[in-house]
Amino acid sequence: MEASGENTITNSTEKYSFLDQIGEPVPKSKLIGKRVCDIIFGTIFGIISLPVILIFGEL
């Protein structure tokens, strides 16, 4: 019975071969730059969409 139990463990790990494709972690400098861009673009698009939200909020 133990041999069949070991077989199922190896079969289940073979299904998750995508874990081998994980690359290197992203450097913190790039994460900080991405966060700054997200804040800037989020603020810009928030300001642009504010009149549209107010118009539909009045209806």
Side-chain angles (χ1 to χ4, degrees):
M1 200 71 164
E2 288 181 30
S4 65
E6 291 176 11
N7 234 358
T8 57
I9 292 172
T10 55
N11 287 341
S12 66
T13 56
E14 289 173 1
K15 290 191 295 188
Y16 300 111
S17 63
F18 63 89
L19 293 174
D20 297 332
Q21 303 297 325
I22 296 175
E24 294 293 319
V26 178
K28 283 198 178 226
S29 61
K30 287 187 178 182
L31 291 177
I32 292 171
K34 182 186 179 307
R35 179 69 177 161
V36 168
C37 287
D38 287 343
I39 291 172
I40 290 171
F41 287 118
T43 303
I44 290 171
F45 288 120
I47 292 171
I48 291 172
S49 65
L50 189 61
V52 176
I53 294 171
L54 291 175
I55 288 171
F56 283 107
E58 294 288 325
L59 295 178

